[in-house]
Amino acid sequence: MLPDLIATREQLRDGATTAPAELERCIDAAQAASNTHSFVRTLFDEARTTAVQPGVTQLPLAGLAVSVKDLFDVAGQPTPAGSTALAGAPAAAQDCPAVARLRAAGASLIGRTNMVEFAFSGVGVNPHYDTPAAWDARFGALPGAPRVPGGSSSGAGVSVATGAAFIGLGSDTGGSIRIPAALNGIVGFKNTARLVPTAGAVPLSTTLDTACAMTRTVRDAIVAHEVLAARRVTRSLAPLSQYRLAVPSTLFLDGLDATVAQAFERSVEALRQAGAQIDIIALPAVLEQPAYGFAAPEAYAWHRELLQRAGDRYDPRVRMRIEKGATLMAWEYIDLLQARQHWIARMLADMEPYDALLSPTVPILAPLLADVAPADGVDKARDAARDAEFFRVNNLLLRNTSVVNLLDGCALSLPCHVQGELPVGLMVWHGALRDDTVLNIGLQIEQKLQKQ
């Protein structure tokens, strides 16, 4: 088990270690084989400068390593967003707000992490910069052939899971923080979108995009959120038995992989044994969510001119999904906005009696990378099979998590697997501005599940 940020910060302040020493451990991890393709640009020298600044260990992030997803502006650097289509674009004039807040809190930026091109997939593959393999933060390398890391914040997830970073800054539009968290055995918190500025980040969906982070523990997730949102989380000492929880059976439990089902059921039972009140509810409104999504039309609005200039440089899978957004009429988009609000109201009416809901973060284990790898043109039949499997897997990975984004809600994914199982995530979630309750419940759940 990797030491978390809070434990390491306490060691720094006790004089048991130093920020430069901890940074070098992270740099070693970033350069290890487990992080092949995790970073598109490393910032080791800049990070070393930060780690020796006077007083840095007294700041919330204490000079410790933080990775930054490649779609966030960092002053003096280009922002390719996992693509080659933006080659030659000018460097960012200033840090985006999320990066600026991390720096001000004492983060040592260790590097820019790989991602799905323009953040448009939950699988994690990238044909331009290759793809990092999933890792298990709790038990080490996954057995067998490489598996997908989850996306779109793929490199961010692996950087945290392997010990190269204490915090992985990323974005979550349909699950892009929680999916890699689940597949790499770490914690991912998607806050209510409005709480953290998304300015200075290449957008996918201006309606759904959320700037947030992955961490090693839930208590670290609280620290990261407090820095990114510039707010304090209201802590609660209430025991788990004082919260009322629900497991929605509609959609969220459909077609679970056997290992996911076993890990989730075991975890729910462990929480019940610890005194948690957990109801099984239908939540039928989840099936009434609008059929058309926001990502494609909103992405097309941003990409339409770039597609004309450099469309041949896009990942064909990403380009195809973006171009579908060109077909939506203005009146259909307005209807979609209204339909979303009506759907949120129906969902919240059924969820209101509960402090949080529990679901598997994703219904499947991390797929084999070879099964969904980008086309290489060598074998058309194999390429077609990989494309078909990619889109099937992508839909499954996003199925549970995307509900929370459409709900304008907040959600925490934390690991619930045991040794001998591939990583599985448990998602704790609710509607908008329930962030503090979700985090406090997550702390309690993490403590109970660590005893499994």
Side-chain angles (χ1 to χ4, degrees), residues 107-132:
S108 292
L109 303 186
I110 195 170
R112 302 179 68 93
T113 51
N114 200 355
M115 57 177 285
V116 174
E117 183 182 55
F118 295 120
F120 211 166
S121 158
V123 180
V125 297
N126 187 305
H128 310 298
Y129 302 106
D130 216 325
T131 303

Side-chain angles (χ1 to χ4, degrees), residues 288-299:
E288 302 168 11
Q289 56 188 299
Y292 204 94
F294 287 93
E298 292 181 345

Side-chain angles (χ1 to χ4, degrees), residues 116-118 120 314-323:
V116 174
E117 183 182 55
F118 295 120
F120 211 166
Y314 279 62
D315 176 352
R317 293 168 175 171
V318 171
R319 178 177 181 173
M320 179 181 70
R321 298 181 74 200
I322 292 174
E323 289 181 333

